[in-house]
Coordinates of all heavy atoms in Angstrom, one line a residue:
M1 N 8.9 -6.3 13.6 CA 7.7 -6.1 12.8 C 8.2 -5.2 11.6 O 8.9 -4.3 11.8 CB 6.6 -5.5 13.5 CG 5.4 -5.2 12.7 SD 4.0 -4.4 13.5 CE 4.7 -2.8 14.0
I2 N 7.6 -5.5 10.4 CA 7.9 -4.7 9.2 C 6.6 -3.9 8.9 O 5.5 -4.5 8.8 CB 8.2 -5.7 8.0 CG1 9.4 -6.6 8.3 CG2 8.5 -4.8 6.7 CD1 10.7 -6.0 8.6
R3 N 6.8 -2.7 8.7 CA 5.7 -1.8 8.2 C 5.9 -1.6 6.7 O 6.9 -1.1 6.3 CB 5.7 -0.5 9.0 CG 5.4 -0.6 10.4 CD 5.3 0.7 11.1 NE 4.9 0.5 12.5 CZ 5.3 1.2 13.5 NH1 6.2 2.2 13.2 NH2 4.9 1.0 14.7
H4 N 4.9 -2.0 5.9 CA 5.0 -1.9 4.4 C 4.0 -0.8 4.1 O 2.8 -0.8 4.3 CB 4.5 -3.2 3.9 CG 4.4 -3.3 2.4 ND1 5.5 -3.2 1.6 CD2 3.3 -3.4 1.6 CE1 5.1 -3.3 0.3 NE2 3.8 -3.5 0.3
I5 N 4.5 0.3 3.5 CA 3.7 1.5 3.1 C 3.9 1.8 1.7 O 5.1 2.0 1.2 CB 4.2 2.7 4.0 CG1 4.2 2.3 5.5 CG2 3.2 3.9 3.7 CD1 5.0 3.2 6.3
V6 N 2.9 1.8 0.9 CA 2.9 2.1 -0.5 C 2.0 3.3 -0.9 O 0.8 3.2 -0.4 CB 2.5 0.8 -1.3 CG1 2.9 1.0 -2.8 CG2 3.3 -0.4 -0.8
F7 N 2.5 4.2 -1.6 CA 1.7 5.4 -2.0 C 1.5 5.3 -3.5 O 2.4 5.0 -4.3 CB 2.5 6.7 -1.7 CG 2.8 6.9 -0.3 CD1 4.0 6.5 0.2 CD2 1.9 7.5 0.5 CE1 4.3 6.7 1.6 CE2 2.1 7.8 1.9 CZ 3.3 7.3 2.4
F8 N 0.3 5.5 -3.9 CA -0.1 5.4 -5.4 C -0.8 6.8 -5.8 O -1.5 7.4 -5.1 CB -1.1 4.4 -5.6 CG -0.6 3.0 -5.4 CD1 -0.7 2.4 -4.1 CD2 -0.1 2.2 -6.5 CE1 -0.3 1.1 -3.9 CE2 0.3 0.9 -6.3 CZ 0.3 0.4 -5.0
S9 N -0.6 7.1 -7.0 CA -1.4 8.1 -7.7 C -2.0 7.5 -9.0 O -1.3 6.6 -9.6 CB -0.7 9.4 -8.0 OG 0.3 9.1 -9.1
A10 N -3.2 7.8 -9.2 CA -3.9 7.3 -10.4 C -3.5 8.1 -11.6 O -3.3 9.3 -11.5 CB -5.4 7.3 -10.3
R11 N -3.4 7.4 -12.7 CA -3.1 8.1 -14.0 C -4.1 9.1 -14.4 O -3.9 10.2 -14.8 CB -2.8 7.1 -15.1 CG -2.3 7.6 -16.4 CD -1.9 6.5 -17.4 NE -1.1 5.4 -16.9 CZ 0.2 5.5 -16.8 NH1 0.8 6.6 -17.2 NH2 0.9 4.5 -16.4
H12 N -5.4 8.7 -14.2 CA -6.6 9.5 -14.5 C -7.4 9.6 -13.1 O -7.7 8.6 -12.5 CB -7.4 8.9 -15.6 CG -6.6 8.7 -16.8 ND1 -6.2 9.8 -17.6 CD2 -6.1 7.6 -17.4 CE1 -5.5 9.3 -18.7 NE2 -5.5 8.0 -18.5
K13 N -7.8 10.8 -12.8 CA -8.5 11.0 -11.5 C -9.8 10.1 -11.4 O -10.2 9.7 -10.3 CB -8.8 12.5 -11.3 CG -7.6 13.3 -11.0 CD -6.7 12.7 -10.0 CE -5.4 13.5 -9.8 NZ -4.4 12.8 -9.0
E14 N -10.4 9.8 -12.5 CA -11.6 9.0 -12.5 C -11.3 7.5 -12.1 O -12.2 6.8 -11.9 CB -12.4 9.0 -13.8 CG -11.6 8.6 -15.0 CD -10.8 9.7 -15.7 OE1 -10.6 10.8 -15.2 OE2 -10.4 9.4 -16.9
D15 N -10.0 7.2 -12.1 CA -9.7 5.8 -11.8 C -9.2 5.6 -10.3 O -8.9 4.5 -9.9 CB -8.5 5.3 -12.7 CG -9.0 5.1 -14.1 OD1 -10.2 4.8 -14.3 OD2 -8.1 5.2 -15.0
V16 N -9.2 6.7 -9.5 CA -8.8 6.6 -8.1 C -9.6 5.5 -7.4 O -8.9 4.7 -6.7 CB -8.9 7.9 -7.4 CG1 -8.6 7.8 -5.9 CG2 -7.9 8.9 -8.0
E17 N -10.8 5.5 -7.4 CA -11.6 4.5 -6.7 C -11.4 3.1 -7.3 O -11.4 2.1 -6.5 CB -13.1 4.9 -6.8 CG -14.0 4.0 -5.9 CD -13.6 3.9 -4.5 OE1 -13.0 4.9 -3.9 OE2 -13.9 2.9 -3.8
V18 N -11.2 3.0 -8.5 CA -10.9 1.7 -9.1 C -9.5 1.1 -8.6 O -9.4 0.0 -8.2 CB -10.8 1.7 -10.7 CG1 -10.4 0.4 -11.3 CG2 -12.2 2.2 -11.2
V19 N -8.6 2.1 -8.5 CA -7.3 1.6 -7.9 C -7.4 1.2 -6.5 O -7.0 0.2 -6.0 CB -6.3 2.8 -8.0 CG1 -5.0 2.6 -7.2 CG2 -5.9 3.1 -9.5
R20 N -8.2 2.1 -5.6 CA -8.3 1.7 -4.2 C -9.1 0.4 -4.1 O -8.6 -0.5 -3.3 CB -9.2 2.8 -3.6 CG -9.4 2.6 -2.0 CD -10.3 3.5 -1.4 NE -11.7 3.1 -1.7 CZ -12.3 2.1 -1.2 NH1 -11.8 1.4 -0.2 NH2 -13.6 1.8 -1.6
T21 N -10.2 0.2 -4.8 CA -10.9 -1.1 -4.7 C -10.0 -2.3 -5.2 O -10.1 -3.3 -4.5 CB -12.2 -1.0 -5.6 OG1 -13.0 0.1 -5.2 CG2 -13.0 -2.2 -5.5
G22 N -9.3 -2.1 -6.2 CA -8.4 -3.2 -6.7 C -7.4 -3.6 -5.7 O -7.1 -4.7 -5.4
L23 N -6.8 -2.6 -5.1 CA -5.8 -2.8 -4.0 C -6.3 -3.5 -2.8 O -5.6 -4.2 -2.0 CB -5.1 -1.5 -3.6 CG -4.2 -0.9 -4.7 CD1 -3.7 0.4 -4.3 CD2 -3.0 -1.8 -5.0
L24 N -7.6 -3.3 -2.5 CA -8.3 -4.0 -1.3 C -8.1 -5.5 -1.4 O -8.1 -6.2 -0.4 CB -9.7 -3.6 -1.2 CG -10.0 -2.2 -0.7 CD1 -11.5 -1.8 -0.8 CD2 -9.6 -2.2 0.8
A25 N -8.1 -6.1 -2.7 CA -7.9 -7.5 -2.8 C -6.7 -8.0 -2.2 O -6.7 -9.2 -1.7 CB -7.9 -7.8 -4.3
L26 N -5.7 -7.2 -2.0 CA -4.4 -7.7 -1.4 C -4.7 -8.0 0.0 O -3.9 -8.8 0.6 CB -3.3 -6.6 -1.5 CG -2.9 -6.3 -3.0 CD1 -1.9 -5.1 -2.9 CD2 -2.1 -7.5 -3.6
G27 N -5.7 -7.5 0.7 CA -6.0 -7.8 2.1 C -6.4 -9.2 2.2 O -6.4 -9.7 3.3
N28 N -6.7 -10.0 1.1 CA -7.1 -11.4 1.2 C -5.9 -12.3 1.3 O -6.0 -13.5 1.4 CB -8.0 -11.8 0.0 CG -9.3 -11.1 0.0 OD1 -9.9 -10.9 1.1 ND2 -9.7 -10.6 -1.1
I29 N -4.7 -11.8 1.1 CA -3.5 -12.5 1.3 C -3.2 -12.7 2.8 O -3.2 -11.8 3.5 CB -2.3 -11.8 0.5 CG1 -2.6 -11.7 -0.9 CG2 -1.0 -12.6 0.7 CD1 -1.5 -10.8 -1.7
P30 N -3.0 -13.9 3.2 CA -3.0 -14.2 4.7 C -1.8 -13.8 5.5 O -1.8 -14.0 6.7 CB -3.2 -15.7 4.7 CG -2.6 -16.2 3.5 CD -2.9 -15.1 2.4
H31 N -0.8 -13.3 5.0 CA 0.5 -13.1 5.7 C 0.7 -11.8 6.5 O 1.5 -11.7 7.3 CB 1.7 -13.2 4.7 CG 1.7 -14.5 4.0 ND1 2.0 -15.7 4.5 CD2 1.3 -14.8 2.7 CE1 1.9 -16.7 3.6 NE2 1.4 -16.1 2.5
S32 N -0.3 -10.9 6.3 CA -0.2 -9.6 7.1 C -0.9 -9.7 8.4 O -1.9 -10.4 8.5 CB -0.7 -8.4 6.2 OG -2.1 -8.6 6.0
R33 N -0.4 -8.9 9.4 CA -1.1 -8.8 10.7 C -2.1 -7.7 10.6 O -3.1 -7.8 11.3 CB 0.0 -8.4 11.7 CG 1.0 -9.5 12.0 CD 2.1 -9.1 12.9 NE 1.7 -8.3 14.1 CZ 2.5 -7.8 15.0 NH1 3.8 -8.1 14.9 NH2 2.0 -7.1 16.0
L34 N -1.9 -6.7 9.8 CA -2.8 -5.6 9.6 C -2.7 -5.2 8.1 O -1.6 -5.2 7.6 CB -2.4 -4.4 10.5 CG -3.1 -3.1 10.4 CD1 -4.6 -3.3 10.9 CD2 -2.4 -2.0 11.2
F35 N -3.8 -4.8 7.6 CA -3.8 -4.4 6.2 C -4.9 -3.4 6.0 O -6.1 -3.5 6.4 CB -4.1 -5.6 5.3 CG -4.0 -5.2 3.8 CD1 -2.7 -5.3 3.2 CD2 -5.1 -4.8 3.1 CE1 -2.6 -5.0 1.9 CE2 -4.9 -4.4 1.8 CZ -3.7 -4.5 1.1
E36 N -4.5 -2.2 5.4 CA -5.4 -1.1 5.1 C -5.1 -0.5 3.8 O -4.0 -0.4 3.4 CB -5.2 0.0 6.2 CG -5.4 -0.4 7.6 CD -5.2 0.7 8.6 OE1 -4.5 1.8 8.2 OE2 -5.5 0.6 9.8
V37 N -6.2 -0.1 3.2 CA -6.1 0.7 1.9 C -7.0 1.9 2.1 O -8.2 1.8 2.3 CB -6.6 -0.1 0.7 CG1 -6.5 0.7 -0.6 CG2 -5.8 -1.4 0.5
T38 N -6.4 3.1 2.1 CA -7.2 4.3 2.3 C -6.9 5.4 1.3 O -5.8 5.4 0.7 CB -6.8 4.9 3.7 OG1 -5.4 5.2 3.7 CG2 -7.1 3.9 4.9
L39 N -7.8 6.3 1.2 CA -7.6 7.4 0.3 C -6.8 8.5 1.0 O -6.9 8.7 2.2 CB -8.9 8.0 -0.2 CG -9.8 7.2 -1.0 CD1 -11.1 7.8 -1.3 CD2 -9.1 6.9 -2.4
N40 N -5.9 9.2 0.3 CA -5.1 10.3 0.9 C -6.1 11.4 1.2 O -6.8 11.9 0.3 CB -4.0 10.7 0.0 CG -3.2 11.8 0.5 OD1 -3.2 12.2 1.7 ND2 -2.4 12.4 -0.3
S41 N -6.1 11.9 2.4 CA -7.0 13.1 2.7 C -6.5 14.4 2.0 O -7.3 15.4 2.0 CB -7.0 13.3 4.2 OG -5.7 13.6 4.8
K42 N -5.3 14.4 1.5 CA -4.7 15.6 0.8 C -4.8 16.9 1.6 O -5.0 17.9 1.1 CB -5.4 15.6 -0.6 CG -5.2 14.5 -1.5 CD -5.6 14.7 -2.9 CE -5.3 13.4 -3.6 NZ -5.6 13.6 -5.1
V43 N -4.6 16.8 2.9 CA -4.5 17.9 3.7 C -3.1 18.7 3.5 O -3.1 19.9 3.6 CB -4.6 17.5 5.3 CG1 -4.4 18.7 6.2 CG2 -6.0 16.9 5.5
D44 N -2.1 17.9 3.2 CA -0.8 18.5 3.0 C -0.6 18.8 1.5 O -0.6 18.0 0.7 CB 0.3 17.5 3.5 CG 1.7 18.1 3.3 OD1 1.9 19.1 2.6 OD2 2.6 17.5 3.9
P45 N -0.5 20.2 1.2 CA -0.4 20.6 -0.2 C 0.8 20.1 -0.9 O 0.9 20.0 -2.2 CB -0.5 22.0 -0.2 CG -0.1 22.4 1.2 CD -0.5 21.3 2.1
L46 N 1.8 19.6 -0.2 CA 3.1 19.1 -0.7 C 3.0 17.7 -1.1 O 3.9 17.2 -1.8 CB 4.2 19.4 0.2 CG 4.6 20.8 0.5 CD1 5.7 20.9 1.6 CD2 4.9 21.7 -0.6
S47 N 1.9 17.0 -0.8 CA 1.8 15.6 -1.2 C 0.4 15.3 -1.8 O -0.1 14.2 -1.7 CB 2.0 14.7 0.1 OG 1.0 15.0 1.0
D48 N -0.2 16.3 -2.4 CA -1.5 16.1 -3.0 C -1.6 15.3 -4.1 O -2.6 14.9 -4.7 CB -2.3 17.4 -3.2 CG -1.6 18.3 -4.3 OD1 -0.5 18.0 -4.7 OD2 -2.2 19.3 -4.7
E49 N -0.4 14.9 -4.7 CA -0.4 14.0 -5.9 C -0.7 12.5 -5.5 O -0.9 11.7 -6.4 CB 0.9 14.1 -6.7 CG 2.1 13.5 -6.1 CD 2.8 14.5 -5.1 OE1 2.3 15.5 -4.8 OE2 3.9 14.1 -4.7
I50 N -0.6 12.2 -4.2 CA -0.8 10.8 -3.8 C -2.3 10.6 -3.6 O -2.9 11.4 -2.9 CB -0.1 10.5 -2.5 CG1 1.5 10.7 -2.7 CG2 -0.4 9.2 -2.0 CD1 2.1 9.9 -3.7
D51 N -2.8 9.6 -4.2 CA -4.3 9.4 -4.1 C -4.6 8.2 -3.1 O -5.6 8.4 -2.4 CB -4.8 9.0 -5.5 CG -4.7 10.1 -6.5 OD1 -5.1 11.2 -6.2 OD2 -4.3 9.8 -7.6
V52 N -3.9 7.1 -3.1 CA -4.2 6.0 -2.3 C -3.0 5.5 -1.5 O -1.9 5.5 -2.1 CB -4.7 4.8 -3.2 CG1 -5.0 3.6 -2.4 CG2 -5.9 5.3 -4.1
V53 N -3.2 5.1 -0.3 CA -2.1 4.6 0.5 C -2.5 3.2 1.0 O -3.5 2.9 1.5 CB -1.9 5.5 1.7 CG1 -0.8 5.0 2.6 CG2 -1.6 6.9 1.3
V54 N -1.5 2.2 0.8 CA -1.6 0.9 1.4 C -0.7 0.8 2.6 O 0.5 1.2 2.5 CB -1.1 -0.2 0.3 CG1 -1.1 -1.6 1.0 CG2 -2.1 -0.2 -0.8
Y55 N -1.2 0.4 3.7 CA -0.4 0.2 4.9 C -0.6 -1.2 5.5 O -1.8 -1.6 5.6 CB -0.8 1.2 6.0 CG -0.1 1.0 7.3 CD1 1.1 1.6 7.5 CD2 -0.6 0.3 8.3 CE1 1.9 1.4 8.7 CE2 0.1 0.1 9.5 CZ 1.3 0.6 9.7 OH 2.0 0.4 10.8
A56 N 0.4 -1.9 5.6 CA 0.4 -3.3 6.1 C 1.5 -3.5 7.1 O 2.5 -2.9 7.0 CB 0.4 -4.3 5.0
E57 N 1.2 -4.4 8.0 CA 2.3 -4.9 9.0 C 2.5 -6.4 8.8 O 1.5 -7.2 8.7 CB 1.8 -4.5 10.4 CG 1.7 -3.1 10.7 CD 1.2 -2.7 12.1 OE1 0.8 -3.6 12.8 OE2 1.2 -1.5 12.4
F58 N 3.7 -6.7 8.9 CA 4.2 -8.1 8.8 C 5.0 -8.5 10.0 O 5.9 -7.7 10.4 CB 4.9 -8.3 7.4 CG 4.0 -8.1 6.3 CD1 3.9 -6.8 5.7 CD2 3.3 -9.1 5.7 CE1 3.1 -6.6 4.6 CE2 2.4 -8.8 4.7 CZ 2.4 -7.6 4.1
E59 N 4.9 -9.7 10.4 CA 5.7 -10.2 11.5 C 7.2 -10.1 11.3 O 8.0 -9.7 12.2 CB 5.3 -11.7 11.9 CG 5.9 -12.2 13.1 CD 5.4 -11.4 14.4 OE1 4.2 -11.2 14.4 OE2 6.3 -11.2 15.3
D60 N 7.6 -10.4 10.0 CA 9.1 -10.4 9.7 C 9.2 -10.4 8.2 O 8.3 -10.3 7.4 CB 9.8 -11.7 10.3 CG 9.1 -12.9 10.0 OD1 8.5 -13.0 8.9 OD2 9.2 -13.9 10.8
D61 N 10.5 -10.5 7.8 CA 10.8 -10.4 6.3 C 10.3 -11.6 5.6 O 9.8 -11.5 4.5 CB 12.4 -10.4 6.1 CG 13.0 -9.0 6.5 OD1 12.3 -8.0 6.4 OD2 14.2 -9.0 7.0
A62 N 10.2 -12.8 6.3 CA 9.7 -13.9 5.6 C 8.2 -13.8 5.4 O 7.7 -14.1 4.3 CB 9.9 -15.2 6.5
A63 N 7.4 -13.2 6.2 CA 6.0 -12.9 6.0 C 5.7 -11.9 4.9 O 4.9 -12.2 4.1 CB 5.3 -12.4 7.3
L64 N 6.6 -10.9 4.8 CA 6.5 -9.9 3.7 C 6.8 -10.5 2.4 O 6.2 -10.4 1.4 CB 7.4 -8.7 4.0 CG 7.4 -7.7 2.9 CD1 6.1 -7.1 2.6 CD2 8.4 -6.5 3.3
A65 N 7.9 -11.4 2.4 CA 8.3 -12.1 1.2 C 7.2 -13.1 0.7 O 6.9 -13.2 -0.5 CB 9.6 -12.9 1.4
A66 N 6.5 -13.8 1.6 CA 5.4 -14.7 1.3 C 4.2 -13.9 0.7 O 3.6 -14.4 -0.2 CB 5.0 -15.5 2.5
Y67 N 4.0 -12.7 1.3 CA 2.9 -11.9 0.8 C 3.2 -11.5 -0.7 O 2.3 -11.6 -1.5 CB 2.8 -10.7 1.7 CG 2.1 -9.5 1.1 CD1 0.7 -9.4 1.2 CD2 2.7 -8.3 0.6 CE1 0.0 -8.3 0.8 CE2 2.0 -7.3 0.1 CZ 0.7 -7.3 0.2 OH 0.0 -6.2 -0.2
K68 N 4.4 -11.0 -0.9 CA 4.8 -10.6 -2.3 C 4.8 -11.8 -3.3 O 4.7 -11.6 -4.5 CB 6.1 -9.8 -2.3 CG 5.9 -8.5 -1.6 CD 7.2 -7.7 -1.7 CE 7.0 -6.3 -1.1 NZ 8.3 -5.5 -1.1
A69 N 5.0 -13.0 -2.8 CA 5.1 -14.2 -3.6 C 3.7 -14.8 -3.9 O 3.6 -15.7 -4.8 CB 6.0 -15.2 -3.0
H70 N 2.7 -14.3 -3.2 CA 1.4 -14.9 -3.4 C 0.9 -14.6 -4.8 O 1.0 -13.5 -5.3 CB 0.4 -14.4 -2.3 CG -0.8 -15.0 -2.1 ND1 -1.9 -14.8 -3.0 CD2 -1.2 -16.0 -1.3 CE1 -2.9 -15.6 -2.6 NE2 -2.5 -16.3 -1.5
P71 N 0.2 -15.6 -5.4 CA -0.4 -15.3 -6.8 C -1.3 -14.1 -6.9 O -1.3 -13.4 -7.9 CB -1.1 -16.6 -7.1 CG -0.6 -17.6 -6.2 CD -0.1 -16.9 -4.9
L72 N -2.1 -13.9 -5.8 CA -3.0 -12.7 -5.8 C -2.2 -11.4 -5.9 O -2.7 -10.4 -6.5 CB -3.9 -12.7 -4.6 CG -5.0 -11.7 -4.5 CD1 -5.8 -11.7 -5.7 CD2 -5.8 -11.9 -3.3
Y73 N -1.0 -11.3 -5.4 CA -0.2 -10.1 -5.4 C 0.1 -9.8 -6.8 O 0.0 -8.7 -7.4 CB 1.1 -10.3 -4.6 CG 1.9 -9.1 -4.5 CD1 1.7 -8.1 -3.5 CD2 3.0 -8.9 -5.4 CE1 2.5 -6.9 -3.5 CE2 3.8 -7.7 -5.4 CZ 3.5 -6.8 -4.4 OH 4.3 -5.7 -4.4
A74 N 0.7 -10.8 -7.6 CA 1.0 -10.6 -9.0 C -0.3 -10.3 -9.8 O -0.2 -9.4 -10.7 CB 1.7 -11.9 -9.6
E75 N -1.4 -10.9 -9.6 CA -2.6 -10.7 -10.3 C -3.1 -9.2 -10.1 O -3.4 -8.5 -11.0 CB -3.7 -11.6 -9.9 CG -5.0 -11.4 -10.5 CD -6.1 -12.4 -10.0 OE1 -5.7 -13.5 -9.5 OE2 -7.3 -12.0 -10.0
T76 N -3.0 -8.8 -8.8 CA -3.5 -7.5 -8.5 C -2.5 -6.4 -9.1 O -3.0 -5.4 -9.7 CB -3.6 -7.3 -7.0 OG1 -4.5 -8.3 -6.4 CG2 -4.1 -5.8 -6.6
T77 N -1.3 -6.6 -9.0 CA -0.3 -5.7 -9.6 C -0.5 -5.6 -11.1 O -0.5 -4.4 -11.6 CB 1.1 -6.2 -9.3 OG1 1.4 -6.3 -7.9 CG2 2.2 -5.4 -9.9
S78 N -0.7 -6.6 -11.8 CA -1.0 -6.5 -13.2 C -2.3 -5.7 -13.6 O -2.3 -5.1 -14.6 CB -1.0 -7.9 -13.9 OG -2.1 -8.6 -13.5
Q79 N -3.2 -5.8 -12.7 CA -4.5 -5.0 -12.9 C -4.3 -3.6 -12.6 O -4.9 -2.7 -13.3 CB -5.6 -5.7 -12.1 CG -6.1 -7.0 -12.6 CD -7.0 -7.7 -11.6 OE1 -7.4 -7.1 -10.5 NE2 -7.5 -8.8 -12.0
I80 N -3.6 -3.3 -11.6 CA -3.5 -1.9 -11.1 C -2.4 -1.1 -11.9 O -2.5 0.1 -12.1 CB -3.1 -1.8 -9.6 CG1 -4.4 -2.4 -8.8 CG2 -2.9 -0.4 -9.1 CD1 -5.7 -1.8 -9.0
K81 N -1.3 -1.7 -12.3 CA -0.2 -1.1 -12.9 C -0.6 -0.1 -14.0 O -0.1 1.0 -14.1 CB 0.9 -2.1 -13.3 CG 2.2 -1.4 -13.7 CD 3.2 -2.5 -13.9 CE 4.6 -1.8 -14.2 NZ 5.7 -2.8 -14.4
P82 N -1.4 -0.6 -15.0 CA -1.8 0.4 -16.0 C -2.6 1.6 -15.6 O -2.7 2.6 -16.4 CB -2.6 -0.5 -17.0 CG -2.4 -1.9 -16.6 CD -2.0 -1.9 -15.1
L83 N -3.2 1.6 -14.4 CA -4.0 2.6 -14.0 C -3.3 3.6 -13.1 O -3.8 4.7 -12.8 CB -5.2 2.1 -13.1 CG -6.1 1.1 -13.8 CD1 -7.1 0.6 -12.8 CD2 -6.8 1.7 -15.0
R84 N -2.1 3.3 -12.7 CA -1.3 4.2 -11.8 C -0.3 5.0 -12.5 O 0.2 4.7 -13.6 CB -0.6 3.4 -10.7 CG 0.5 2.5 -11.1 CD 1.1 1.9 -9.9 NE 2.1 0.8 -10.3 CZ 3.3 1.0 -10.8 NH1 3.8 2.2 -10.9 NH2 4.1 -0.1 -11.0
E85 N 0.0 6.2 -11.9 CA 1.0 7.1 -12.5 C 2.3 6.9 -11.6 O 3.4 6.7 -12.1 CB 0.6 8.6 -12.4 CG 1.5 9.5 -12.9 CD 1.7 9.5 -14.5 OE1 0.7 9.1 -15.2 OE2 2.7 9.8 -15.0
L86 N 2.1 7.1 -10.3 CA 3.2 6.9 -9.4 C 3.0 5.8 -8.4 O 1.9 5.4 -8.1 CB 3.4 8.2 -8.6 CG 3.6 9.5 -9.3 CD1 3.6 10.7 -8.3 CD2 5.0 9.5 -9.9
R87 N 4.2 5.2 -8.0 CA 4.1 4.2 -6.9 C 5.4 4.3 -6.1 O 6.5 4.2 -6.6 CB 4.0 2.8 -7.4 CG 4.0 1.7 -6.4 CD 4.1 0.3 -7.0 NE 4.1 -0.7 -6.0 CZ 5.2 -1.1 -5.3 NH1 6.4 -0.5 -5.5 NH2 5.1 -2.1 -4.4
Y88 N 5.2 4.7 -4.8 CA 6.4 4.7 -3.9 C 6.1 3.7 -2.8 O 5.1 3.7 -2.3 CB 6.5 6.1 -3.3 CG 6.8 7.2 -4.3 CD1 5.8 8.1 -4.6 CD2 8.0 7.3 -4.9 CE1 6.0 9.2 -5.5 CE2 8.2 8.4 -5.9 CZ 7.2 9.3 -6.1 OH 7.4 10.3 -7.0
S89 N 7.2 3.0 -2.5 CA 7.1 2.0 -1.5 C 8.2 2.1 -0.5 O 9.3 2.4 -0.8 CB 7.1 0.6 -2.2 OG 7.0 -0.5 -1.2
A90 N 7.9 1.7 0.8 CA 8.8 1.7 1.9 C 8.5 0.5 2.8 O 7.3 0.3 3.1 CB 8.9 3.0 2.6
D91 N 9.5 -0.2 3.1 CA 9.4 -1.3 4.1 C 10.3 -1.0 5.3 O 11.5 -0.9 5.1 CB 9.9 -2.7 3.5 CG 8.9 -3.1 2.3 OD1 7.7 -3.0 2.5 OD2 9.4 -3.5 1.3
V92 N 9.7 -0.7 6.4 CA 10.4 -0.2 7.5 C 10.3 -1.1 8.7 O 9.3 -1.6 9.1 CB 9.8 1.2 8.0 CG1 10.7 2.0 8.9 CG2 9.5 2.0 6.8
V93 N 11.5 -1.3 9.4 CA 11.5 -2.1 10.6 C 11.0 -1.2 11.7 O 11.5 -0.1 11.9 CB 12.8 -2.7 11.0 CG1 12.8 -3.4 12.3 CG2 13.4 -3.6 9.9
A94 N 9.9 -1.6 12.4 CA 9.3 -0.8 13.4 C 10.2 -0.7 14.6 O 10.8 -1.7 15.1 CB 8.0 -1.4 13.9
A95 N 10.4 0.5 15.1 CA 11.2 0.8 16.2 C 10.3 0.9 17.5 O 9.2 1.4 17.4 CB 12.0 2.1 16.1
T96 N 10.8 0.5 18.6 CA 10.0 0.5 19.8 C 10.4 1.8 20.6 O 11.6 2.0 20.8 CB 10.3 -0.6 20.8 OG1 9.9 -1.8 20.1 CG2 9.4 -0.5 22.0
L97 N 9.4 2.7 20.9 CA 9.7 3.9 21.6 C 9.3 3.8 23.0 O 8.2 3.3 23.3 CB 9.0 5.1 20.9 CG 9.4 5.4 19.5 CD1 8.5 6.5 18.9 CD2 10.8 5.8 19.4
K98 N 10.1 4.3 23.9 CA 9.7 4.3 25.4 C 9.2 5.7 25.6 O 9.9 6.7 25.3 CB 10.8 4.0 26.3 CG 11.2 2.5 26.2 CD 12.2 2.2 27.2 CE 12.6 0.7 27.2 NZ 13.4 0.3 28.3
R99 N 8.1 5.8 26.2 CA 7.5 7.1 26.6 C 7.4 7.2 28.1 O 7.1 6.2 28.8 CB 6.1 7.3 26.0 CG 6.3 7.3 24.5 CD 4.9 7.6 23.9 NE 5.1 7.5 22.4 CZ 4.4 8.2 21.6 NH1 3.5 9.0 21.9 NH2 4.6 8.0 20.3
N100 N 7.6 8.3 28.6 CA 7.5 8.6 30.1 C 6.0 8.6 30.5 O 5.2 9.0 30.0 CB 8.2 9.8 30.5 CG 9.7 9.7 30.2 OD1 10.2 8.6 30.0 ND2 10.3 10.9 30.1

């Protein structure tokens, strides 16, 4: 499983909700197992510049690639890009942990 995590900050604070709402459209792309768009709670003072977090899970690399190739992905990206200041992304292969 691939965990896709993207952090955004809005260029202008009044656009944070517009960014969050716009990113929600990506949840309509059918390739993810789980898709969330949430506001950063900003509890950690070292990461208070992050406004919005996208978290999604994909079965494999092919599903993630299909998600990024979907026309809605390009459309949403073109709408959100002018509103954002920062964008950090990570795609992580989920590790299985055994607990006692």
Side-chain angles (χ1 to χ4, degrees):
M1 177 181 67
I2 307 294
R3 293 181 176 145
H4 176 67
I5 309 159
V6 189
F7 299 93
F8 293 89
S9 68
R11 190 174 306 278
H12 304 288
K13 294 305 173 193
E14 60 270 12
D15 291 332
V16 170
E17 186 56 28
V18 176
V19 170
R20 187 191 71 81
T21 303
L23 291 169
L24 282 170
L26 296 173
N28 294 318
I29 300 174
H31 304 286
S32 62
R33 294 171 42 175
L34 174 69
F35 186 87
E36 301 174 344
V37 178
T38 58
L39 294 175
N40 181 13
S41 62
K42 298 190 178 187
V43 175
D44 184 343
L46 298 177
S47 65
D48 66 349
E49 72 274 12
I50 301 302
D51 296 312
V52 180
V53 179
V54 173
Y55 177 83
E57 294 178 355
F58 296 89
E59 189 65 38
D60 51 29
D61 289 327
L64 178 57
Y67 165 80
K68 290 182 177 182
H70 194 280
L72 184 55
Y73 184 87
E75 179 184 331
T76 302
T77 299
S78 69
Q79 292 172 355
I80 298 302
K81 191 172 185 176
L83 301 175
R84 67 172 168 83
E85 183 70 28
L86 298 173
R87 178 189 180 275
Y88 298 108
S89 178
D91 297 312
V92 192
V93 177
T96 303
L97 298 176
K98 290 188 177 185
R99 297 185 185 211
N100 296 339

